[in-house]
Amino acid sequence: MALLRFAVGRLKGHNESPMMEIKFHNTLTGKTEPFVPLHPAEVRAYTCGPTVHDFAHVGNFRTFVFQDILRRYLKSKGFRVVQVMNLTDVDDRIIQKAAAAGVSIREYTDKYIQAYLEDRHTLSLEPPEFVARATEHIDDMVKLIQRLTEKGFTYTSDGSIYFRISKFPAYGKLSKIDVSGIKAGARVDMDRYDKDNVRDFALWKAPKPGEHFWETPIGPGRPGWHIECSAMAMKYLGDTIDIHSGGVDLAFPHHENEIAQSEAATGKPFARYWLHAEHLLVDHEKMSKSVGNIATLRELFAEGHKPSSVRYLLASVPYRRQLNFTPDSLQSAANAVDRLRNFVSRLKSEKFPPGQSPKLSSRAGKAREDFDRGLADDLNTAVAVAAIFDLVRDVNTMIDGGEFRNGDVAPVLAALEAFDGIFAVLSDDDAEKLQAVGLTQAAPAPQDAEIEALVAERQAARKRKDFTTSDRIRDQLAQRGIIIEDTRDGGVRWKRK
Ligand SMILES: [Zn+2]
């Protein structure tokens, strides 16, 4: 977006308005509350990253895109963000799958870590300040378990070490589960279990025959899944962090157990704000292995969808709303991105009369305020996006009506730049991103309605003698196999190659 940079200085006036109060919905309190970080101007955030036993699917990426919107937004408000993301490269599934493949855990997970980081790049997800592999932090986990043992929160059974939840009366405060009926000493060994199975959970698991294990001061074995996040979050961010986020299905048991482990060890609050992203649905069903409706990013790209369409779709539905993911919604996302890119290109290529229209400056200011107000309200991206599309519509009307002036370009571009600082879809770099991960694709065959719209846009450009735009649209269509023929009476025909 280097081309948009020049415009920023012009809009300083609108940034001087008093800062809007930022509110987030906190799962811990069940309320939407003002966000105030522990240290002024700095936000310490922990993100539960993927378990790298397979390619991450688009449902996983909904959460990662939400976390990227969150960090970009906080940065745009002047906060320094320190984000830590873990990579779970040891858990029940990984151990099983690596053994089945006859390779080491390291070898097995390296491949999926590489793929995950590449996938992040295609979706323009900013890299967190720290990306931490669980297997490189075994010492930190062992030390945390030792602290819990010294304080009497653990017991050992058959070489495994468990967290005694009856010693931690606040257990259940995040997910609001009822623990009153739990029998003392009932245990669960699995990393993942449901609310019907609330039990003392494993911090450290004794090795099973043939399984990979670590030789440590607390005995041979491997860490449970939950302890890794507590250990790594506190190592990099301190005992109390500002924001902990993840998918809604992590709230129990994973985040509940993180709270228990961390707060039992330190006696301090672990995370002050817990933000959870809702599920992504496919035809109104949760995307999951058991339903068999999983799509990886690479499958979507292979079907002809662009990274920017996927990002836009995942970003534009507010994170606490369920998102129904369909080919139609992806196509609408692609159209929305095209509309914005074409609009930017129109602003840059068209010649406008000199001067400034008084109406425009307040219109662009209002768009930025609405955009900001949307995001400040628990990241309501739908409101933010609508603010920008309303501006685009009004500016197009002004241009068509001859009201738009040369001096109006900068404030409008500045509003779009503010939008793109968060949404990151305006750069026309989808093909490069796919090439960088070894994928090339043909653009999907355009639908009639989309072609008609582009043809009409080109006709309008020709009528106002904006041949840069009309040629660009002609090229765009040609690349996608559509040929335009201008007729002698000033009309136009199109056909597929
Ligand atoms: Zn975690």
Side-chain angles (χ1 to χ4, degrees):
M1 282 283 81
L3 287 169
L4 289 183
R5 296 259 182 259
F6 74 94
V8 173
R10 304 293 300 267
L11 223 86
K12 277 282 151 55
H14 295 289
N15 291 337
E16 284 157 16
S17 58
M19 194 160 131
M20 231 171 271
E21 186 176 56
I22 299 169
K23 288 185 176 170
F24 292 138
H25 183 269
N26 188 350
T27 312
L28 191 61
T29 59
K31 291 189 191 119
T32 301
E33 21 183 74
F35 174 70
V36 183
L38 203 52
H39 306 270
E42 185 177 274
V43 178
R44 300 182 187 186
Y46 188 83
T47 296
C48 287
T51 300
V52 284
H53 67 107
D54 206 340
F55 293 104
H57 60 68
V58 66
N60 305 131
F61 277 103
R62 180 189 193 184
T63 303
F64 301 131
V65 167
F66 143 65
Q67 286 157 337
D68 187 63
I69 297 285
L70 174 65
R71 65 169 279 135
R72 283 171 179 268
Y73 173 62
L74 290 169
K75 281 167 68 182
S76 80
K77 295 285 111 187
F79 292 106
R80 188 174 98 89
V81 172
V82 185
Q83 183 192 10
V84 176
M85 178 181 71
N86 69 305
L87 297 170
T88 299
D89 60 350
V90 54
D91 85 334
D92 297 342
R93 287 177 296 187
I94 289 170
I95 287 178
Q96 279 166 18
K97 287 184 164 188
V103 295
S104 68
I105 290 178
R106 187 90 191 180
E107 202 180 325
Y108 184 81
T109 54
D110 270 349
K111 174 182 156 194
Y112 293 113
I113 288 176
Q114 175 71 19
Y116 172 67
L117 296 177
E118 287 174 358
D119 284 353
R120 285 184 65 92
H121 177 73
T122 59
L123 288 189
S124 298
L125 302 179
E126 290 186 343
E129 282 62 30
F130 297 94
V131 176
R133 275 179 93 138
T135 53
E136 289 171 0
H137 295 77
I138 301 289
D139 282 352
D140 302 290
M141 301 176 211
V142 167
K143 284 190 189 117
L144 183 55
I145 295 169
Q146 285 174 320
R147 277 173 83 181
L148 289 168
T149 300
E150 280 161 25
K151 294 191 168 194
F153 285 97
T154 72
Y155 60 91
T156 302
S157 175
D158 294 332
S160 293
I161 304 174
Y162 297 88
F163 186 92
R164 193 189 298 278
I165 60 176
S166 60
K167 272 279 284 180
F168 187 72
Y171 193 86
K173 67 177 174 180
L174 180 72
S175 52
K176 325 291 184 231
I177 49 155
D178 178 14
V179 294
S180 57
I182 293 162
K183 278 198 209 124
R187 297 181 294 274
V188 56
D189 281 298
M190 285 175 303
D191 285 327
R192 284 153 214 270
Y193 52 91
D194 58 25
K195 287 185 186 187
D196 296 333
N197 279 302
V198 188
R199 304 275 191 279
D200 292 344
F201 58 91
L203 299 165
W204 188 256
K205 302 187 187 197
K208 291 195 192 113
E211 262 185 21
H212 184 86
F213 65 93
W214 282 263
E215 201 60 75
T216 74
I218 56 172
R222 61 183 176 92
W225 171 36
H226 316 293
I227 195 73
E228 71 173 77
C229 286
S230 287
M232 293 192 281
M234 294 197 289
K235 172 174 181 150
Y236 294 102
L237 299 170
D239 290 348
T240 300
I241 66 181
D242 292 304
I243 300 177
H244 197 311
S245 63
V248 67
D249 48 349
L250 291 188
F252 184 86
H254 185 53
H255 292 161
E256 198 70 71
N257 293 352
E258 281 188 47
I259 291 176
Q261 296 160 152
S262 306
E263 298 190 356
T266 67
K268 296 177 203 160
F270 174 46
R272 301 169 60 241
Y273 298 85
W274 287 87
L275 273 56
H276 288 107
E278 258 301 335
H279 290 306
L280 178 137
L281 307 176
V282 182
D283 291 331
H284 303 285
E285 272 196 280
K286 191 190 158 192
M287 186 175 273
S288 72
K289 268 256 154 68
S290 50
V291 183
N293 57 358
I294 286 189
T296 65
L297 284 186
R298 282 152 206 247
E299 284 164 347
L300 293 172
F301 299 152
E303 284 167 16
H305 299 292
K306 291 180 187 171
S308 58
S309 323
V310 177
R311 180 177 167 98
Y312 182 89
L313 176 57
L314 297 182
S316 57
V317 176
Y319 76 97
R320 289 181 58 230
R321 248 184 250 164
Q322 290 189 334
L323 189 165
N324 196 31
F325 195 85
T326 62
D328 281 353
S329 58
L330 261 178
Q331 186 54 52
S332 309
N335 295 346
V337 172
D338 278 348
R339 221 177 304 145
L340 291 172
R341 287 179 183 175
N342 287 337
F343 176 73
V344 171
S345 155
R346 179 179 194 187
L347 279 186
K348 286 179 181 167
S349 59
E350 244 177 83
K351 295 272 172 286
F352 304 105
Q356 274 178 303
S357 74
K359 192 169 139 194
L360 188 278
S361 142
S362 61
R363 181 63 194 84
K366 183 184 180 302
R368 293 196 65 169
E369 267 175 46
D370 292 348
F371 180 76
D372 242 25
R373 190 173 299 115
L375 293 177
D377 179 17
D378 195 26
L379 295 181
N380 192 329
T381 47
V383 169
V385 164
I388 294 305
F389 275 98
D390 286 351
L391 176 69
V392 169
R393 186 199 56 218
D394 289 356
V395 169
N396 274 327
T397 307
M398 282 178 74
I399 296 176
D400 295 342
E403 288 179 86
F404 196 80
R405 299 281 176 269
N406 195 24
D408 298 333
V409 173
V412 176
L413 285 182
L416 280 148
E417 186 183 16
F419 161 83
D420 209 47
I422 312 288
F423 285 81
V425 292
L426 292 184
S427 295
D428 193 0
D429 58 1
D430 291 294
E432 285 160 47
K433 281 188 173 143
L434 292 174
Q435 272 163 20
V437 295
L439 291 166
T440 48
Q441 65 174 198
Q447 315 249 320
D448 284 6
E450 192 193 342
I451 301 167
E452 296 285 1
L454 284 168
V455 169
E457 207 182 302
R458 176 172 170 273
Q459 282 295 84
R462 290 180 73 210
K463 206 176 264 174
R464 59 178 189 262
K465 305 212 183 316
D466 172 7
F467 297 111
T468 321
T469 302
S470 68
D471 288 351
R472 188 177 45 76
I473 296 171
R474 175 196 283 267
D475 293 346
Q476 231 175 20
L477 285 166
Q479 276 168 20
R480 299 177 65 184
I482 306 300
I483 298 169
I484 290 189
E485 292 167 350
D486 296 314
T487 57
R488 226 176 270 173
D489 57 1
V492 67
R493 271 197 303 261
W494 63 267
K495 63 181 186 196
R496 291 189 162 86
K497 256 185 226 166

